[in-house]
Amino acid sequence: MKIAQKELDPKTRQQVFEAVWNRINATHFDPTFGGVNWAAMKKKYAPLVAKARNNAELYGLLSRLIGELKQSHFAILPAEAYSVSEAVGAAAKGEGVSGLTLGIIGGNPIVFAVTESSAGQKAGVLPGACIEAVDGKPLLEVLARLTPEQKKGGYLSRMVLTRALGGDEGQRRTLRLREPEGSVREVDLTLTAGPQKRDNVLPGFPPFPAELESKRLEGNIAYIRFSLFTALLMDELRKAFKEAADAPGIVIDLRGNPGGLGPVTYAIAGLISQKPASLGMMKTRSSALQFPVVPQAPRYAGPVVVLTDELSASCSEILAGGLQELKRAVVIGRKTAGMVLPSAIEKLPGGVRLQYAFADFKTPKGVLLEGKGVTPDIAVTLTQASLRQLGDPDIAAALAYFQKK
C-alpha cells in the first residue's frame, strides 16, 4: 500500500520554516537557547529553505535547524508520519481491541502481555509469541514504512502495531504467530469493546485510553496499573490505594504510560508518602512549578515497587525518578524514555507538525532526566523465552524483591 505524499509549494515551505523558528523563539524555556544564537540560525537556514526542491529536503533542513539545540522533545513530524498510522488503520477505526500488548525485540513485533479475559487470551495467544502477520498482511512490512526518526522512542511503532491489530467491536482478525521454539500457527480472534474512558491530555495526539487495573498478586502483593495520568482516574486510584492498605507491598505499573497531567503525579506520590517532600521542579522561561508531595489519606506505609519500560515517559518518569530519589520506591524494569520535558505538538501549514518543549525539569537533587531517563534499580531484559516462561518477567522480579524483604 503506497502512502500518497503531497509536495508542498515553495510559499508553504517558507511558511512552515517561519512557524517552526517563531514558535521555538517564543516558547523555549531557556532564553539563551543553550548557548545557540537562535537569531543567527534563522539567517543561516532561511536561504537554504528557499532553495529546497521537495518535502524531503525541507524536512531535512528543519531537522537540522532544531538539531542545533541539541535537545530532545524537539521534532519535525511530516504529514506522512501520520498518514502511515492512518493508512494501516483505515480498516480499523472502530473501538474493538485484541487485549494484546506488543513491543519490539530484535526488530520483531512480540506479544509482551495478554489482558485477562480478552480476545487474545480467549484465542490462546501467549506472551513471547511473534505476530508475523494480521489477516495475511506482514507486520514487518508495516513497520518498514516508518523512518528511523519516526521509530525513535517507540511510540509511533506501538501506535502502528496497535492499529494494525484493532478494528470494530465484533470484527474477526486472523493472526499468524511464530512461537519462541520456532513453530508457526494461525489463530482467529474476535475483537471486544475498547476502553470507555479516554482523555486528550497528550497534546497533538488523539484521546488516549484511561484505564486502571487493581488486583492482588502472589503473596497478597497489591498491583495497581493505570494507563494515563488523568483526573478521570483519581477517584479509582484513591480507592485502589485504600484497598491496598493491608498488603505487604504494592507494585505500581507505569509501563507504557506516556504521562499526562502534572498534578496527578504528586497526588499519587502523596498517597504513599509519610512526610512532605518534592518530586522536582519544572521551569518555563517565565515561571517555575514545584511538584510537591503532600501526604494524604489513605497513606500506604509499606514497601513500593515501580515498574517502568522504554515507553514510560513524562509524568511516569517524574514519579518513578522522584520516588526513587526519595528512597520511597524501588524501580524495576527498563530505562524510561527520557522524555520528561513537557512538550506540545502544533500543526503547521501543509499538515506538518512541530513538537517542541516549553519547560525544563529537574529532580530535587538537580538531576536532569530529559534525554537520560530513569535507570531502574533492578534491570530486567525481555526475551521471547523469558516472556513465555515467566509470563511477565518484570512482575516476577518484583515478587522476588518482596520475598527478600
Side-chain angles (χ1 to χ4, degrees):
M1 176 173 52
K2 187 176 181 179
I3 306 298
Q5 299 182 6
K6 182 180 178 180
E7 290 291 341
L8 305 179
D9 59 69
K11 181 179 179 181
T12 303
R13 292 176 198 148
Q14 189 64 34
Q15 290 174 341
V16 172
F17 168 71
E18 293 281 348
V20 169
W21 188 90
N22 288 334
R23 174 55 62 191
I24 294 176
N25 186 60
T27 63
H28 197 282
F29 52 87
D30 180 1
T32 70
F33 301 95
V36 175
N37 187 331
W38 194 239
M41 292 302 102
K42 185 174 185 180
K43 295 180 180 179
K44 174 181 177 180
Y45 283 93
L48 300 177
V49 170
K51 296 178 182 178
R53 296 168 295 180
N54 50 46
N55 289 357
E57 290 187 8
L58 171 67
Y59 299 154
L61 288 168
L62 293 177
S63 294
R64 284 170 52 191
L65 169 67
I66 61 178
E68 300 277 4
L69 295 169
K70 294 181 173 57
Q71 295 168 331
S72 60
H73 255 68
F74 290 89
I76 300 299
L77 305 172
E80 296 89 320
Y82 284 78
S83 298
V84 170
S85 63
E86 290 165 2
V88 299
K93 294 183 179 179
E95 295 298 324
V97 295
S98 66
L100 303 178
T101 298
L102 301 188
I104 305 295
I105 295 179
N108 295 310
I110 306 298
V111 177
F112 277 20
V114 182
T115 303
E116 293 181 11
S117 303
S118 67
Q121 186 183 64
K122 292 176 181 177
V125 181
L126 298 174
C130 172
I131 299 185
E132 294 189 332
V134 178
D135 294 339
K137 181 186 298 181
L139 284 188
L140 285 180
E141 290 185 6
V142 174
L143 290 174
R145 298 191 185 102
L146 300 176
T147 66
E149 182 63 28
Q150 292 166 9
K151 292 178 181 178
K152 187 177 181 180
Y155 281 101
L156 195 53
S157 296
R158 179 71 63 86
M159 182 191 302
V160 168
L161 292 174
T162 300
R163 289 178 68 90
L165 284 176
D168 295 319
E169 181 182 355
Q171 184 176 349
R172 181 176 173 179
R173 309 306 296 269
T174 298
L175 311 183
R176 186 171 75 238
L177 309 177
R178 182 175 294 277
E179 304 294 357
E181 77 280 0
S183 64
V184 178
R185 65 188 179 104
E186 287 194 348
V187 300
D188 294 325
L189 55 80
T190 301
L191 302 180
T192 56
Q196 299 300 307
K197 290 184 179 180
R198 292 176 177 270
D199 201 352
N200 58 350
V201 297
L202 302 176
F205 289 95
F208 199 85
E211 304 174 280
L212 182 141
E213 179 184 8
S214 177
K215 61 182 181 181
R216 292 299 175 103
L217 304 173
E218 179 184 329
N220 205 32
I221 299 296
Y223 170 88
I224 301 173
R225 179 192 67 83
F226 55 101
S227 62
L228 192 67
F229 285 76
T230 168
L232 293 178
L233 295 176
M234 274 312 304
D235 287 344
E236 294 179 58
L237 278 166
R238 290 191 182 94
K239 180 182 178 182
F241 278 97
K242 182 177 181 180
E243 293 176 344
D246 65 335
I250 290 182
V251 173
I252 301 176
D253 191 347
L254 299 181
R255 294 174 298 178
N257 190 317
L261 299 177
V264 177
T265 308
Y266 41 84
I268 294 172
L271 295 173
I272 58 175
S273 299
Q274 304 304 303
K275 57 183 180 180
S278 171
L279 295 176
M281 180 178 292
M282 187 173 287
K283 279 190 174 184
T284 68
R285 186 179 296 187
S286 59
S287 62
L289 174 65
Q290 188 72 238
F291 276 57
V293 177
V294 180
Q296 55 184 295
R299 291 193 296 272
Y300 180 77
V304 176
V305 161
V306 175
L307 301 183
T308 63
D309 67 5
E310 303 85 348
L311 297 187
S312 303
S314 188
C315 290
S316 290
E317 300 182 88
I318 292 174
L319 181 60
L323 294 177
Q324 182 187 56
E325 191 170 282
L326 294 171
K327 301 188 183 304
R328 184 61 191 94
V330 169
V331 179
I332 295 177
R334 285 155 301 289
K335 182 178 288 189
T336 61
M339 298 171 63
V340 182
L341 301 185
S343 68
I345 297 179
E346 181 175 336
K347 189 174 182 179
L348 308 178
V352 182
R353 288 169 171 83
L354 166 69
Q355 180 184 24
Y356 63 95
F358 55 83
D360 199 357
F361 179 84
K362 292 182 180 180
T363 69
K365 292 184 179 180
V367 177
L368 281 168
L369 298 178
E370 175 68 18
K372 300 178 181 178
V374 177
T375 299
D377 300 293
I378 301 174
V380 178
T381 300
L382 299 182
T383 65
Q384 283 186 264
S386 68
L387 285 163
R388 178 56 53 87
Q389 179 184 1
L390 300 173
D392 191 325
D394 298 327
I395 288 182
L399 293 176
Y401 166 77
F402 283 122
Q403 288 175 356
K404 295 177 181 178
K405 293 293 291 181

